[in-house]
Amino acid sequence: MSFNVVDLSGAERAPRGPHAPRVLIYSHDTFGLGHIRRCRAIANSLVANYPHISVIIVSGSSVISSFQFGDGVDYVRIPGIEKQSDGRYLPHHLNIDLNDTIRLRTDLIKQVVLSFDPDVVIVDKEPIGLRGELEPSLEILRRRGARIVLGLRDVLDEPVKLHEEWRQSGAIDALALYDDIFVYGLESVYQPLAGLPNQHLFANKVQYTGYLKRAVPSPMPPNRYPRLTKGPFILVTPGGGGDGIGLIDWVISAYESDPSIELPALIVFGPFMSREKRREFVERIARVPKLESLGFDPRLELLMNRAHCVVAMGGYNTFCEVLSFDKPALIVPRVRPRLEQTIRAERADHLKLVDMLHDPVETGCSTVRDPALMAAALHALPKRLPPSQAFVQGLLDGLPAISRALASDLSMPVRGRALAQNATAVS
């Protein structure tokens, strides 16, 4: 694979005076809420620690405007692309083919890089972006001397699949372009790059930060939650909801079959669940006194903080929130299209951070989900210990660790930093 770029007009940095550092965060966002929520948490943390900096998030998320960002953070939304259940990618809204959409996204990303001229770039998960759309920008950034960071969640996929996927895309070769690789987790929990070849070429770049702790956001405008949230309740969240139909169906069927489940449950569908399924679930929930539902809440942390315990699929961000708000949790991970959630849930269950329940339909063990099995898990859930009782050191140090790691690039104006480094070299 080659990283040569034909059109690099304007690639050389134009002279400019001292300025406050600029950070660009790239998030390809093809499915769910995970990527944009992770990038938002990092951006908000950086401007909280370095109020003089500016951060732009480049994202394909269709719901990015629903989220709150700190002063100094803004975003550029590029045309969205959706990952289908069969693994194919299609444009989310535009009536043009995928190649044209990728070309358009590539050009828009490059223009942001040229105009914003960041000093630090954090790339979320995909080393060359979706279908290589980041390659031209990476070449420009290397020429301009930006610090380029690859940010990875704790688990990507099982090692064999990750190796094959990154080998075919050229992502392994692209690791040479990065100055740092931040893993937003703990080495003792999981090592996402352990299965890749040529470890000596990038292992010294890897830094495990710990998980990204979440805070309770401002509840403005005031939220009106269902009445059951005034007392102890179970929060059921499938994240974005696009792949959460099985989990929600299973929870509803448990309450339908066992009215003695102690705590009521609030089910939050997520923005990507189909209208047909949501309508069907709402009708069933209306017949069960201990169930209520919400469509989507971009400040889910507020509900997570209120809840007594949580039932979720175990995506990275939900897992971080469970740890941050110290909630007893039941994780029912998906196994398709990748084993990320299952690997995370198994490791967390082993460390006694959460309880895990395998979905028999997902794993192919059965064609039906037994309501009694879920009901038994819901009876036990309020009695389990919170994650903090597992005493895992450094578990939630991620955000301050990222800020510390980037301190030399963000704590003073760029021109001033260059002069300081020259003075040190001379002395």
Side-chain angles (χ1 to χ4, degrees):
M1 182 188 63
S2 172
F3 290 96
N4 294 326
V5 181
V6 175
D7 179 15
L8 287 178
S9 57
E12 300 302 333
R13 173 174 284 168
R16 63 187 188 189
H19 69 279
R22 301 173 185 178
V23 179
L24 186 145
I25 301 178
Y26 162 83
S27 176
H28 70 292
D29 291 291
T30 59
F31 188 78
L33 298 172
H35 301 287
I36 187 56
R37 294 181 68 204
R38 180 164 58 245
C39 293
R40 178 192 62 155
I42 293 169
N44 286 345
S45 174
L46 289 177
V47 295
N49 283 281
Y50 304 102
H52 59 293
I53 72 171
S54 294
V55 181
I56 283 183
I57 300 174
V58 177
S59 169
S61 173
S62 61
V63 294
I64 189 171
S65 62
S66 301
F67 294 101
Q68 292 178 318
F69 296 97
D71 291 340
V73 181
D74 211 333
Y75 61 86
V76 174
R77 184 177 181 271
I78 54 178
I81 289 178
E82 284 188 311
K83 189 173 186 179
Q84 308 300 303
S85 58
D86 60 3
R88 292 182 304 125
Y89 292 99
L90 293 175
H92 190 190
H93 295 295
L94 296 177
N95 295 317
I96 59 178
D97 68 23
L98 179 61
N99 289 334
D100 286 341
T101 306
I102 293 291
R103 192 176 302 114
L104 176 58
R105 285 167 55 109
T106 300
D107 289 342
L108 290 171
I109 295 166
K110 188 172 74 171
Q111 288 305 314
V112 174
V113 165
L114 290 169
S115 298
F116 186 55
D117 197 12
D119 305 291
V120 175
V121 176
I122 302 175
V123 175
D124 185 66
K125 182 182 174 288
E126 299 289 343
I128 57 173
L130 179 64
R131 299 289 182 93
E133 66 185 7
L134 204 57
E135 290 182 41
S137 292
L138 288 173
E139 183 70 19
I140 293 169
L141 291 163
R142 292 303 296 177
R143 287 194 182 195
R144 292 187 166 193
R147 181 174 178 179
I148 309 177
V149 178
L150 178 63
L152 302 176
R153 64 187 182 221
D154 58 341
V155 184
L156 296 171
D157 202 347
E158 54 186 324
V160 173
K161 285 191 176 180
L162 178 67
H163 181 196
E164 181 61 18
E165 179 182 325
W166 277 21
R167 183 190 64 79
Q168 289 186 359
S169 69
I172 294 178
D173 296 333
L175 296 181
L177 296 174
Y178 285 86
D179 299 297
D180 309 273
I181 300 173
F182 294 168
V183 177
Y184 308 135
L186 292 179
E187 188 173 10
S188 60
V189 176
Y190 195 75
Q191 301 171 41
L193 302 183
L196 296 183
N198 300 320
Q199 292 281 319
H200 65 283
L201 297 178
F202 60 83
N204 65 333
K205 301 179 181 182
V206 177
Q207 176 179 335
Y208 290 85
T209 66
Y211 290 89
L212 308 181
K213 187 174 183 178
R214 307 306 165 85
V216 180
S218 169
M220 295 183 65
N223 288 333
R224 294 186 177 182
Y225 292 131
R227 185 181 300 275
L228 65 79
T229 62
K230 295 184 180 299
F233 70 98
I234 300 172
L235 174 65
V236 182
T237 169
D243 54 358
I245 291 172
L247 172 62
I248 290 180
D249 176 72
W250 202 5
V251 170
I252 294 174
S253 68
Y255 278 90
E256 288 171 335
S257 65
D258 186 354
S260 71
I261 296 173
E262 178 185 358
L263 292 185
L266 174 63
I267 298 173
V268 182
F269 297 125
F272 303 122
M273 181 167 290
S274 71
R275 292 181 181 178
E276 294 75 15
K277 273 296 176 183
R278 185 183 300 188
R279 188 180 304 112
E280 174 189 324
F281 287 147
V282 167
E283 290 175 357
R284 290 172 62 189
I285 287 169
R287 296 192 289 267
V288 180
K290 290 185 177 179
L291 292 180
E292 292 276 5
S293 67
L294 284 178
F296 169 52
D297 188 344
R299 297 182 296 278
L300 191 68
E301 298 93 338
L302 289 168
L303 284 170
M304 185 82 70
N305 190 47
R306 284 191 182 199
H308 182 78
C309 44
V310 176
V311 177
M313 294 176 63
Y316 179 83
N317 290 281
T318 303
F319 183 61
C320 286
E321 289 162 355
V322 165
L323 301 180
S324 300
F325 301 117
D326 205 24
K327 300 299 179 180
L330 174 68
I331 303 298
V332 186
R334 69 174 186 229
V335 300
R336 294 183 296 264
R338 57 182 75 249
L339 285 177
E340 169 222 339
Q341 291 188 1
T342 299
I343 294 170
R344 179 180 299 113
E346 288 175 346
R347 292 297 299 145
D349 184 275
H350 175 74
L351 293 169
K352 302 188 184 304
L353 294 167
V354 302
D355 289 334
M356 184 185 70
L357 180 63
H358 281 296
D359 184 334
V361 175
E362 279 276 313
T363 56
C365 298
S366 174
T367 57
V368 295
R369 300 176 176 94
D370 182 1
L373 185 62
M374 176 59 76
L378 295 174
H379 277 292
L381 180 57
K383 303 176 181 67
R384 92 165 311 277
L385 293 173
S388 61
Q389 296 305 299
F391 303 109
V392 178
Q393 189 172 4
L395 189 63
L396 288 167
D397 288 350
L399 292 174
I402 293 169
S403 290
R404 287 194 301 270
L406 298 176
S408 62
D409 296 271
L410 302 182
S411 57
M412 65 175 71
V414 170
R415 179 63 61 83
R417 182 176 72 247
L419 292 174
Q421 290 171 343
N422 291 337
T424 301
V426 170
S427 63

